[in-house]
Amino acid sequence: MDLSLFLIPPAESARRKGPHDRIVMSSRVRLARNLKDAAFPGWAKKPERIRVLELIRPTVESLPEMKDAFSDTMDNLSTLDKQMLVERHLISREHAAKSAGSGLVLNHDETICFMINEEDHLRMQALRPGLQLKQAWTTIDQADSALEKKLDYAFSPELGYLTACPTNLGTGIRVSAMLHLPGLVLGEQINPIIQSVNKLGLAVRGLYGEGTEALGNVFQVSNQMTLGEAESAIVERLEKVLAQIIEHEENARGTLLEKKSKTVYNHIGRAYGILANAHSISSKETMNLLSLMRLGVDVGLFPGVDRSLVDELFILTQPAHLQKAHSEKLSAEERDLLRADMVRERLKDVRRPLAQAPGPPPGLDKPAK
């Protein structure tokens, strides 16, 4: 099956809505599981990894929610296909580096994904647009319960689920949300927020997780503790912290528009000017400028423009997606030229931003207490 034909078109993906999606771009809950009496993938030899894959993969495919899913081994996927999956946050960068003995099963609406023989034998995740951690947890918990009836998990009554990395020991759960926080960045409040979140036992990472930078003012916030706390309690605790971050981001946007409006309009206007007129632009610069344009849409500076246009460009302008649209292999310089051409074309009917916001910041996106 051709992965590019299976994946949801970027335009459709960008139109998905969820609670507080002005700030929370997506929610994810991931579980790590391993089979009893089988070496962890990092220690297992190729025949053992293949044996585990051949045991887990059909079991996952048999789940009702995985009907008509995309299923393949990692050595059958091209480097470009793997990178597209990373760019859509469907698999980890580590899994993209895997080959024989590892696999992927992805449902049709891209809300449940199973990575087989990544760091653990099985890493399953549920994804939702906006702030929907509880819904994501319910989905993946049901899938995990069904699999546990068919697979013999490595489990200790004292320690819980056994994992390749000790930081995942216990529940094996990683709960995370991807946040767009340009207000806190422009207001120079992001570092105190990150420090406060870290003190609460949560991790703040960049766009593609651990060890990556926060391109486009996008940050991932997730739990660090997996041992000694129930899964539902971890989800609840993260939701409360996210509610506070959302409020801080909304307040930061409001303060900037009230006290430093010209600075904000200057950033957004310059971002639009470069995106709408550049003839060569890198992926990194595009992400950062699209972030500012997204902020401009949110505060009403682009009347009639839907945020989904910007979110679609977030996907389409990334290297693998750009390369996939062209049959010949492109150099980085050629991608920069084609990226600029595409963005100019998509923005040709978008008028330059207003010189000031049309009234107070639209509908503060504060979660209910």
mmCIF file with all atom_site columns, all heavy atoms in Angstrom, residues 67-90:
data_model
loop_
_atom_site.group_PDB
_atom_site.id
_atom_site.type_symbol
_atom_site.label_atom_id
_atom_site.label_alt_id
_atom_site.label_comp_id
_atom_site.label_asym_id
_atom_site.label_entity_id
_atom_site.label_seq_id
_atom_site.pdbx_PDB_ins_code
_atom_site.Cartn_x
_atom_site.Cartn_y
_atom_site.Cartn_z
_atom_site.occupancy
_atom_site.B_iso_or_equiv
_atom_site.pdbx_formal_charge
_atom_site.auth_seq_id
_atom_site.auth_comp_id
_atom_site.auth_asym_id
_atom_site.auth_atom_id
_atom_site.pdbx_PDB_model_num
ATOM 1   N N   . LYS A 1 67 ? -9.304  -1.746 11.657 1.00 0.00 ? 67 LYS A N   1
ATOM 2   C CA  . LYS A 1 67 ? -9.809  -2.250 10.385 1.00 0.00 ? 67 LYS A CA  1
ATOM 3   C C   . LYS A 1 67 ? -9.352  -1.327 9.247  1.00 0.00 ? 67 LYS A C   1
ATOM 4   O O   . LYS A 1 67 ? -9.418  -0.107 9.360  1.00 0.00 ? 67 LYS A O   1
ATOM 5   C CB  . LYS A 1 67 ? -11.337 -2.327 10.412 1.00 0.00 ? 67 LYS A CB  1
ATOM 6   C CG  . LYS A 1 67 ? -11.934 -2.932 9.161  1.00 0.00 ? 67 LYS A CG  1
ATOM 7   C CD  . LYS A 1 67 ? -13.453 -2.970 9.239  1.00 0.00 ? 67 LYS A CD  1
ATOM 8   C CE  . LYS A 1 67 ? -14.038 -3.568 7.965  1.00 0.00 ? 67 LYS A CE  1
ATOM 9   N NZ  . LYS A 1 67 ? -15.516 -3.559 7.962  1.00 0.00 ? 67 LYS A NZ  1
ATOM 10  N N   . ASP A 1 68 ? -8.875  -1.916 8.161  1.00 0.00 ? 68 ASP A N   1
ATOM 11  C CA  . ASP A 1 68 ? -8.370  -1.173 6.999  1.00 0.00 ? 68 ASP A CA  1
ATOM 12  C C   . ASP A 1 68 ? -7.191  -0.276 7.353  1.00 0.00 ? 68 ASP A C   1
ATOM 13  O O   . ASP A 1 68 ? -6.966  0.761  6.718  1.00 0.00 ? 68 ASP A O   1
ATOM 14  C CB  . ASP A 1 68 ? -9.491  -0.316 6.368  1.00 0.00 ? 68 ASP A CB  1
ATOM 15  C CG  . ASP A 1 68 ? -10.651 -1.166 5.866  1.00 0.00 ? 68 ASP A CG  1
ATOM 16  O OD1 . ASP A 1 68 ? -10.391 -2.277 5.373  1.00 0.00 ? 68 ASP A OD1 1
ATOM 17  O OD2 . ASP A 1 68 ? -11.801 -0.711 5.972  1.00 0.00 ? 68 ASP A OD2 1
ATOM 18  N N   . ALA A 1 69 ? -6.423  -0.665 8.360  1.00 0.00 ? 69 ALA A N   1
ATOM 19  C CA  . ALA A 1 69 ? -5.267  0.137  8.769  1.00 0.00 ? 69 ALA A CA  1
ATOM 20  C C   . ALA A 1 69 ? -4.107  -0.024 7.795  1.00 0.00 ? 69 ALA A C   1
ATOM 21  O O   . ALA A 1 69 ? -4.051  -0.985 7.013  1.00 0.00 ? 69 ALA A O   1
ATOM 22  C CB  . ALA A 1 69 ? -4.825  -0.279 10.173 1.00 0.00 ? 69 ALA A CB  1
ATOM 23  N N   . PHE A 1 70 ? -3.184  0.920  7.854  1.00 0.00 ? 70 PHE A N   1
ATOM 24  C CA  . PHE A 1 70 ? -1.923  0.786  7.134  1.00 0.00 ? 70 PHE A CA  1
ATOM 25  C C   . PHE A 1 70 ? -0.987  -0.033 8.008  1.00 0.00 ? 70 PHE A C   1
ATOM 26  O O   . PHE A 1 70 ? -0.800  0.276  9.188  1.00 0.00 ? 70 PHE A O   1
ATOM 27  C CB  . PHE A 1 70 ? -1.303  2.160  6.863  1.00 0.00 ? 70 PHE A CB  1
ATOM 28  C CG  . PHE A 1 70 ? 0.048   2.081  6.200  1.00 0.00 ? 70 PHE A CG  1
ATOM 29  C CD1 . PHE A 1 70 ? 0.148   1.993  4.820  1.00 0.00 ? 70 PHE A CD1 1
ATOM 30  C CD2 . PHE A 1 70 ? 1.214   2.067  6.959  1.00 0.00 ? 70 PHE A CD2 1
ATOM 31  C CE1 . PHE A 1 70 ? 1.387   1.908  4.209  1.00 0.00 ? 70 PHE A CE1 1
ATOM 32  C CE2 . PHE A 1 70 ? 2.459   1.982  6.358  1.00 0.00 ? 70 PHE A CE2 1
ATOM 33  C CZ  . PHE A 1 70 ? 2.547   1.900  4.977  1.00 0.00 ? 70 PHE A CZ  1
ATOM 34  N N   . SER A 1 71 ? -0.411  -1.081 7.453  1.00 0.00 ? 71 SER A N   1
ATOM 35  C CA  . SER A 1 71 ? 0.486   -1.946 8.219  1.00 0.00 ? 71 SER A CA  1
ATOM 36  C C   . SER A 1 71 ? 1.657   -2.359 7.342  1.00 0.00 ? 71 SER A C   1
ATOM 37  O O   . SER A 1 71 ? 1.466   -2.831 6.220  1.00 0.00 ? 71 SER A O   1
ATOM 38  C CB  . SER A 1 71 ? -0.273  -3.187 8.714  1.00 0.00 ? 71 SER A CB  1
ATOM 39  O OG  . SER A 1 71 ? 0.587   -4.056 9.412  1.00 0.00 ? 71 SER A OG  1
ATOM 40  N N   . ASP A 1 72 ? 2.875   -2.154 7.859  1.00 0.00 ? 72 ASP A N   1
ATOM 41  C CA  . ASP A 1 72 ? 4.045   -2.523 7.078  1.00 0.00 ? 72 ASP A CA  1
ATOM 42  C C   . ASP A 1 72 ? 5.255   -2.637 7.987  1.00 0.00 ? 72 ASP A C   1
ATOM 43  O O   . ASP A 1 72 ? 5.229   -2.195 9.142  1.00 0.00 ? 72 ASP A O   1
ATOM 44  C CB  . ASP A 1 72 ? 4.320   -1.479 5.989  1.00 0.00 ? 72 ASP A CB  1
ATOM 45  C CG  . ASP A 1 72 ? 4.963   -2.097 4.746  1.00 0.00 ? 72 ASP A CG  1
ATOM 46  O OD1 . ASP A 1 72 ? 5.567   -3.184 4.873  1.00 0.00 ? 72 ASP A OD1 1
ATOM 47  O OD2 . ASP A 1 72 ? 4.849   -1.487 3.667  1.00 0.00 ? 72 ASP A OD2 1
ATOM 48  N N   . THR A 1 73 ? 6.306   -3.244 7.458  1.00 0.00 ? 73 THR A N   1
ATOM 49  C CA  . THR A 1 73 ? 7.565   -3.313 8.193  1.00 0.00 ? 73 THR A CA  1
ATOM 50  C C   . THR A 1 73 ? 8.392   -2.084 7.828  1.00 0.00 ? 73 THR A C   1
ATOM 51  O O   . THR A 1 73 ? 8.267   -1.532 6.724  1.00 0.00 ? 73 THR A O   1
ATOM 52  C CB  . THR A 1 73 ? 8.336   -4.589 7.828  1.00 0.00 ? 73 THR A CB  1
ATOM 53  O OG1 . THR A 1 73 ? 8.564   -4.620 6.413  1.00 0.00 ? 73 THR A OG1 1
ATOM 54  C CG2 . THR A 1 73 ? 7.541   -5.823 8.238  1.00 0.00 ? 73 THR A CG2 1
ATOM 55  N N   . MET A 1 74 ? 9.253   -1.652 8.745  1.00 0.00 ? 74 MET A N   1
ATOM 56  C CA  . MET A 1 74 ? 10.000  -0.426 8.529  1.00 0.00 ? 74 MET A CA  1
ATOM 57  C C   . MET A 1 74 ? 10.996  -0.539 7.385  1.00 0.00 ? 74 MET A C   1
ATOM 58  O O   . MET A 1 74 ? 11.297  0.460  6.722  1.00 0.00 ? 74 MET A O   1
ATOM 59  C CB  . MET A 1 74 ? 10.713  -0.013 9.825  1.00 0.00 ? 74 MET A CB  1
ATOM 60  C CG  . MET A 1 74 ? 9.773   0.290  10.985 1.00 0.00 ? 74 MET A CG  1
ATOM 61  S SD  . MET A 1 74 ? 8.469   1.489  10.587 1.00 0.00 ? 74 MET A SD  1
ATOM 62  C CE  . MET A 1 74 ? 9.408   3.013  10.503 1.00 0.00 ? 74 MET A CE  1
ATOM 63  N N   . ASP A 1 75 ? 11.492  -1.753 7.115  1.00 0.00 ? 75 ASP A N   1
ATOM 64  C CA  . ASP A 1 75 ? 12.438  -1.911 6.007  1.00 0.00 ? 75 ASP A CA  1
ATOM 65  C C   . ASP A 1 75 ? 11.746  -1.817 4.649  1.00 0.00 ? 75 ASP A C   1
ATOM 66  O O   . ASP A 1 75 ? 12.418  -1.654 3.617  1.00 0.00 ? 75 ASP A O   1
ATOM 67  C CB  . ASP A 1 75 ? 13.218  -3.230 6.128  1.00 0.00 ? 75 ASP A CB  1
ATOM 68  C CG  . ASP A 1 75 ? 12.305  -4.434 6.282  1.00 0.00 ? 75 ASP A CG  1
ATOM 69  O OD1 . ASP A 1 75 ? 11.254  -4.303 6.936  1.00 0.00 ? 75 ASP A OD1 1
ATOM 70  O OD2 . ASP A 1 75 ? 12.644  -5.513 5.765  1.00 0.00 ? 75 ASP A OD2 1
ATOM 71  N N   . ASN A 1 76 ? 10.411  -1.902 4.640  1.00 0.00 ? 76 ASN A N   1
ATOM 72  C CA  . ASN A 1 76 ? 9.668   -1.737 3.386  1.00 0.00 ? 76 ASN A CA  1
ATOM 73  C C   . ASN A 1 76 ? 9.344   -0.279 3.086  1.00 0.00 ? 76 ASN A C   1
ATOM 74  O O   . ASN A 1 76 ? 8.957   0.059  1.967  1.00 0.00 ? 76 ASN A O   1
ATOM 75  C CB  . ASN A 1 76 ? 8.347   -2.517 3.434  1.00 0.00 ? 76 ASN A CB  1
ATOM 76  C CG  . ASN A 1 76 ? 8.518   -3.957 3.007  1.00 0.00 ? 76 ASN A CG  1
ATOM 77  O OD1 . ASN A 1 76 ? 9.518   -4.312 2.397  1.00 0.00 ? 76 ASN A OD1 1
ATOM 78  N ND2 . ASN A 1 76 ? 7.562   -4.793 3.344  1.00 0.00 ? 76 ASN A ND2 1
ATOM 79  N N   . LEU A 1 77 ? 9.468   0.572  4.092  1.00 0.00 ? 77 LEU A N   1
ATOM 80  C CA  . LEU A 1 77 ? 9.157   1.989  3.909  1.00 0.00 ? 77 LEU A CA  1
ATOM 81  C C   . LEU A 1 77 ? 10.398  2.742  3.449  1.00 0.00 ? 77 LEU A C   1
ATOM 82  O O   . LEU A 1 77 ? 11.507  2.494  3.931  1.00 0.00 ? 77 LEU A O   1
ATOM 83  C CB  . LEU A 1 77 ? 8.642   2.601  5.215  1.00 0.00 ? 77 LEU A CB  1
ATOM 84  C CG  . LEU A 1 77 ? 7.299   2.090  5.737  1.00 0.00 ? 77 LEU A CG  1
ATOM 85  C CD1 . LEU A 1 77 ? 6.971   2.725  7.076  1.00 0.00 ? 77 LEU A CD1 1
ATOM 86  C CD2 . LEU A 1 77 ? 6.182   2.380  4.740  1.00 0.00 ? 77 LEU A CD2 1
ATOM 87  N N   . SER A 1 78 ? 10.204  3.685  2.547  1.00 0.00 ? 78 SER A N   1
ATOM 88  C CA  . SER A 1 78 ? 11.326  4.498  2.086  1.00 0.00 ? 78 SER A CA  1
ATOM 89  C C   . SER A 1 78 ? 11.716  5.503  3.164  1.00 0.00 ? 78 SER A C   1
ATOM 90  O O   . SER A 1 78 ? 10.937  5.813  4.066  1.00 0.00 ? 78 SER A O   1
ATOM 91  C CB  . SER A 1 78 ? 10.947  5.247  0.804  1.00 0.00 ? 78 SER A CB  1
ATOM 92  O OG  . SER A 1 78 ? 9.967   6.243  1.096  1.00 0.00 ? 78 SER A OG  1
ATOM 93  N N   . THR A 1 79 ? 12.918  6.017  3.053  1.00 0.00 ? 79 THR A N   1
ATOM 94  C CA  . THR A 1 79 ? 13.380  7.050  3.985  1.00 0.00 ? 79 THR A CA  1
ATOM 95  C C   . THR A 1 79 ? 12.450  8.250  3.948  1.00 0.00 ? 79 THR A C   1
ATOM 96  O O   . THR A 1 79 ? 12.146  8.854  4.980  1.00 0.00 ? 79 THR A O   1
ATOM 97  C CB  . THR A 1 79 ? 14.819  7.485  3.623  1.00 0.00 ? 79 THR A CB  1
ATOM 98  O OG1 . THR A 1 79 ? 15.674  6.351  3.672  1.00 0.00 ? 79 THR A OG1 1
ATOM 99  C CG2 . THR A 1 79 ? 15.324  8.544  4.586  1.00 0.00 ? 79 THR A CG2 1
ATOM 100 N N   . LEU A 1 80 ? 11.954  8.583  2.765  1.00 0.00 ? 80 LEU A N   1
ATOM 101 C CA  . LEU A 1 80 ? 11.054  9.725  2.602  1.00 0.00 ? 80 LEU A CA  1
ATOM 102 C C   . LEU A 1 80 ? 9.718   9.481  3.313  1.00 0.00 ? 80 LEU A C   1
ATOM 103 O O   . LEU A 1 80 ? 9.198   10.368 4.004  1.00 0.00 ? 80 LEU A O   1
ATOM 104 C CB  . LEU A 1 80 ? 10.818  9.980  1.114  1.00 0.00 ? 80 LEU A CB  1
ATOM 105 C CG  . LEU A 1 80 ? 10.154  11.316 0.744  1.00 0.00 ? 80 LEU A CG  1
ATOM 106 C CD1 . LEU A 1 80 ? 10.994  12.484 1.205  1.00 0.00 ? 80 LEU A CD1 1
ATOM 107 C CD2 . LEU A 1 80 ? 9.943   11.379 -0.769 1.00 0.00 ? 80 LEU A CD2 1
ATOM 108 N N   . ASP A 1 81 ? 9.177   8.267  3.178  1.00 0.00 ? 81 ASP A N   1
ATOM 109 C CA  . ASP A 1 81 ? 7.918   7.935  3.852  1.00 0.00 ? 81 ASP A CA  1
ATOM 110 C C   . ASP A 1 81 ? 8.079   8.004  5.365  1.00 0.00 ? 81 ASP A C   1
ATOM 111 O O   . ASP A 1 81 ? 7.208   8.512  6.074  1.00 0.00 ? 81 ASP A O   1
ATOM 112 C CB  . ASP A 1 81 ? 7.444   6.535  3.443  1.00 0.00 ? 81 ASP A CB  1
ATOM 113 C CG  . ASP A 1 81 ? 6.825   6.515  2.057  1.00 0.00 ? 81 ASP A CG  1
ATOM 114 O OD1 . ASP A 1 81 ? 6.412   7.582  1.582  1.00 0.00 ? 81 ASP A OD1 1
ATOM 115 O OD2 . ASP A 1 81 ? 6.753   5.429  1.450  1.00 0.00 ? 81 ASP A OD2 1
ATOM 116 N N   . LYS A 1 82 ? 9.185   7.493  5.852  1.00 0.00 ? 82 LYS A N   1
ATOM 117 C CA  . LYS A 1 82 ? 9.430   7.534  7.298  1.00 0.00 ? 82 LYS A CA  1
ATOM 118 C C   . LYS A 1 82 ? 9.506   8.970  7.791  1.00 0.00 ? 82 LYS A C   1
ATOM 119 O O   . LYS A 1 82 ? 8.952   9.314  8.843  1.00 0.00 ? 82 LYS A O   1
ATOM 120 C CB  . LYS A 1 82 ? 10.732  6.796  7.629  1.00 0.00 ? 82 LYS A CB  1
ATOM 121 C CG  . LYS A 1 82 ? 10.692  5.293  7.391  1.00 0.00 ? 82 LYS A CG  1
ATOM 122 C CD  . LYS A 1 82 ? 12.067  4.690  7.661  1.00 0.00 ? 82 LYS A CD  1
ATOM 123 C CE  . LYS A 1 82 ? 12.126  3.215  7.319  1.00 0.00 ? 82 LYS A CE  1
ATOM 124 N NZ  . LYS A 1 82 ? 13.472  2.660  7.546  1.00 0.00 ? 82 LYS A NZ  1
ATOM 125 N N   . GLN A 1 83 ? 10.198  9.827  7.012  1.00 0.00 ? 83 GLN A N   1
ATOM 126 C CA  . GLN A 1 83 ? 10.332  11.223 7.431  1.00 0.00 ? 83 GLN A CA  1
ATOM 127 C C   . GLN A 1 83 ? 8.980   11.944 7.393  1.00 0.00 ? 83 GLN A C   1
ATOM 128 O O   . GLN A 1 83 ? 8.702   12.803 8.232  1.00 0.00 ? 83 GLN A O   1
ATOM 129 C CB  . GLN A 1 83 ? 11.345  11.949 6.547  1.00 0.00 ? 83 GLN A CB  1
ATOM 130 C CG  . GLN A 1 83 ? 11.666  13.372 6.975  1.00 0.00 ? 83 GLN A CG  1
ATOM 131 C CD  . GLN A 1 83 ? 12.165  13.474 8.403  1.00 0.00 ? 83 GLN A CD  1
ATOM 132 O OE1 . GLN A 1 83 ? 12.856  12.580 8.879  1.00 0.00 ? 83 GLN A OE1 1
ATOM 133 N NE2 . GLN A 1 83 ? 11.801  14.548 9.098  1.00 0.00 ? 83 GLN A NE2 1
ATOM 134 N N   . MET A 1 84 ? 8.122   11.595 6.449  1.00 0.00 ? 84 MET A N   1
ATOM 135 C CA  . MET A 1 84 ? 6.777   12.180 6.411  1.00 0.00 ? 84 MET A CA  1
ATOM 136 C C   . MET A 1 84 ? 5.998   11.819 7.672  1.00 0.00 ? 84 MET A C   1
ATOM 137 O O   . MET A 1 84 ? 5.283   12.655 8.234  1.00 0.00 ? 84 MET A O   1
ATOM 138 C CB  . MET A 1 84 ? 6.017   11.692 5.171  1.00 0.00 ? 84 MET A CB  1
ATOM 139 C CG  . MET A 1 84 ? 6.458   12.332 3.878  1.00 0.00 ? 84 MET A CG  1
ATOM 140 S SD  . MET A 1 84 ? 5.547   11.696 2.451  1.00 0.00 ? 84 MET A SD  1
ATOM 141 C CE  . MET A 1 84 ? 3.885   12.243 2.813  1.00 0.00 ? 84 MET A CE  1
ATOM 142 N N   . LEU A 1 85 ? 6.148   10.574 8.118  1.00 0.00 ? 85 LEU A N   1
ATOM 143 C CA  . LEU A 1 85 ? 5.464   10.139 9.348  1.00 0.00 ? 85 LEU A CA  1
ATOM 144 C C   . LEU A 1 85 ? 5.992   10.898 10.561 1.00 0.00 ? 85 LEU A C   1
ATOM 145 O O   . LEU A 1 85 ? 5.226   11.245 11.465 1.00 0.00 ? 85 LEU A O   1
ATOM 146 C CB  . LEU A 1 85 ? 5.649   8.635  9.534  1.00 0.00 ? 85 LEU A CB  1
ATOM 147 C CG  . LEU A 1 85 ? 4.907   7.738  8.541  1.00 0.00 ? 85 LEU A CG  1
ATOM 148 C CD1 . LEU A 1 85 ? 5.439   6.320  8.599  1.00 0.00 ? 85 LEU A CD1 1
ATOM 149 C CD2 . LEU A 1 85 ? 3.399   7.751  8.815  1.00 0.00 ? 85 LEU A CD2 1
ATOM 150 N N   . VAL A 1 86 ? 7.300   11.177 10.574 1.00 0.00 ? 86 VAL A N   1
ATOM 151 C CA  . VAL A 1 86 ? 7.879   11.967 11.667 1.00 0.00 ? 86 VAL A CA  1
ATOM 152 C C   . VAL A 1 86 ? 7.332   13.389 11.624 1.00 0.00 ? 86 VAL A C   1
ATOM 153 O O   . VAL A 1 86 ? 6.953   13.957 12.658 1.00 0.00 ? 86 VAL A O   1
ATOM 154 C CB  . VAL A 1 86 ? 9.422   11.978 11.577 1.00 0.00 ? 86 VAL A CB  1
ATOM 155 C CG1 . VAL A 1 86 ? 10.017  12.966 12.580 1.00 0.00 ? 86 VAL A CG1 1
ATOM 156 C CG2 . VAL A 1 86 ? 9.986   10.585 11.823 1.00 0.00 ? 86 VAL A CG2 1
ATOM 157 N N   . GLU A 1 87 ? 7.266   13.967 10.443 1.00 0.00 ? 87 GLU A N   1
ATOM 158 C CA  . GLU A 1 87 ? 6.788   15.345 10.294 1.00 0.00 ? 87 GLU A CA  1
ATOM 159 C C   . GLU A 1 87 ? 5.333   15.492 10.719 1.00 0.00 ? 87 GLU A C   1
ATOM 160 O O   . GLU A 1 87 ? 4.912   16.571 11.158 1.00 0.00 ? 87 GLU A O   1
ATOM 161 C CB  . GLU A 1 87 ? 6.974   15.808 8.848  1.00 0.00 ? 87 GLU A CB  1
ATOM 162 C CG  . GLU A 1 87 ? 8.445   16.007 8.470  1.00 0.00 ? 87 GLU A CG  1
ATOM 163 C CD  . GLU A 1 87 ? 8.658   16.361 7.012  1.00 0.00 ? 87 GLU A CD  1
ATOM 164 O OE1 . GLU A 1 87 ? 7.669   16.417 6.240  1.00 0.00 ? 87 GLU A OE1 1
ATOM 165 O OE2 . GLU A 1 87 ? 9.822   16.598 6.633  1.00 0.00 ? 87 GLU A OE2 1
ATOM 166 N N   . ARG A 1 88 ? 4.587   14.407 10.622 1.00 0.00 ? 88 ARG A N   1
ATOM 167 C CA  . ARG A 1 88 ? 3.190   14.442 11.081 1.00 0.00 ? 88 ARG A CA  1
ATOM 168 C C   . ARG A 1 88 ? 3.053   13.969 12.526 1.00 0.00 ? 88 ARG A C   1
ATOM 169 O O   . ARG A 1 88 ? 1.931   13.827 13.027 1.00 0.00 ? 88 ARG A O   1
ATOM 170 C CB  . ARG A 1 88 ? 2.318   13.575 10.171 1.00 0.00 ? 88 ARG A CB  1
ATOM 171 C CG  . ARG A 1 88 ? 2.214   14.107 8.761  1.00 0.00 ? 88 ARG A CG  1
ATOM 172 C CD  . ARG A 1 88 ? 0.987   13.560 8.074  1.00 0.00 ? 88 ARG A CD  1
ATOM 173 N NE  . ARG A 1 88 ? 0.944   13.952 6.678  1.00 0.00 ? 88 ARG A NE  1
ATOM 174 C CZ  . ARG A 1 88 ? -0.163  13.947 5.944  1.00 0.00 ? 88 ARG A CZ  1
ATOM 175 N NH1 . ARG A 1 88 ? -1.312  13.564 6.479  1.00 0.00 ? 88 ARG A NH1 1
ATOM 176 N NH2 . ARG A 1 88 ? -0.137  14.311 4.680  1.00 0.00 ? 88 ARG A NH2 1
ATOM 177 N N   . HIS A 1 89 ? 4.172   13.697 13.181 1.00 0.00 ? 89 HIS A N   1
ATOM 178 C CA  . HIS A 1 89 ? 4.193   13.273 14.581 1.00 0.00 ? 89 HIS A CA  1
ATOM 179 C C   . HIS A 1 89 ? 3.482   11.941 14.801 1.00 0.00 ? 89 HIS A C   1
ATOM 180 O O   . HIS A 1 89 ? 2.926   11.687 15.866 1.00 0.00 ? 89 HIS A O   1
ATOM 181 C CB  . HIS A 1 89 ? 3.585   14.361 15.483 1.00 0.00 ? 89 HIS A CB  1
ATOM 182 C CG  . HIS A 1 89 ? 4.253   15.697 15.332 1.00 0.00 ? 89 HIS A CG  1
ATOM 183 N ND1 . HIS A 1 89 ? 5.434   16.004 15.967 1.00 0.00 ? 89 HIS A ND1 1
ATOM 184 C CD2 . HIS A 1 89 ? 3.926   16.782 14.577 1.00 0.00 ? 89 HIS A CD2 1
ATOM 185 C CE1 . HIS A 1 89 ? 5.807   17.228 15.620 1.00 0.00 ? 89 HIS A CE1 1
ATOM 186 N NE2 . HIS A 1 89 ? 4.906   17.721 14.780 1.00 0.00 ? 89 HIS A NE2 1
ATOM 187 N N   . LEU A 1 90 ? 3.516   11.088 13.780 1.00 0.00 ? 90 LEU A N   1
ATOM 188 C CA  . LEU A 1 90 ? 2.881   9.775  13.890 1.00 0.00 ? 90 LEU A CA  1
ATOM 189 C C   . LEU A 1 90 ? 3.860   8.713  14.382 1.00 0.00 ? 90 LEU A C   1
ATOM 190 O O   . LEU A 1 90 ? 3.450   7.721  14.982 1.00 0.00 ? 90 LEU A O   1
ATOM 191 C CB  . LEU A 1 90 ? 2.282   9.363  12.546 1.00 0.00 ? 90 LEU A CB  1
ATOM 192 C CG  . LEU A 1 90 ? 1.114   10.237 12.059 1.00 0.00 ? 90 LEU A CG  1
ATOM 193 C CD1 . LEU A 1 90 ? 0.736   9.884  10.628 1.00 0.00 ? 90 LEU A CD1 1
ATOM 194 C CD2 . LEU A 1 90 ? -0.090  10.089 12.987 1.00 0.00 ? 90 LEU A CD2 1
#
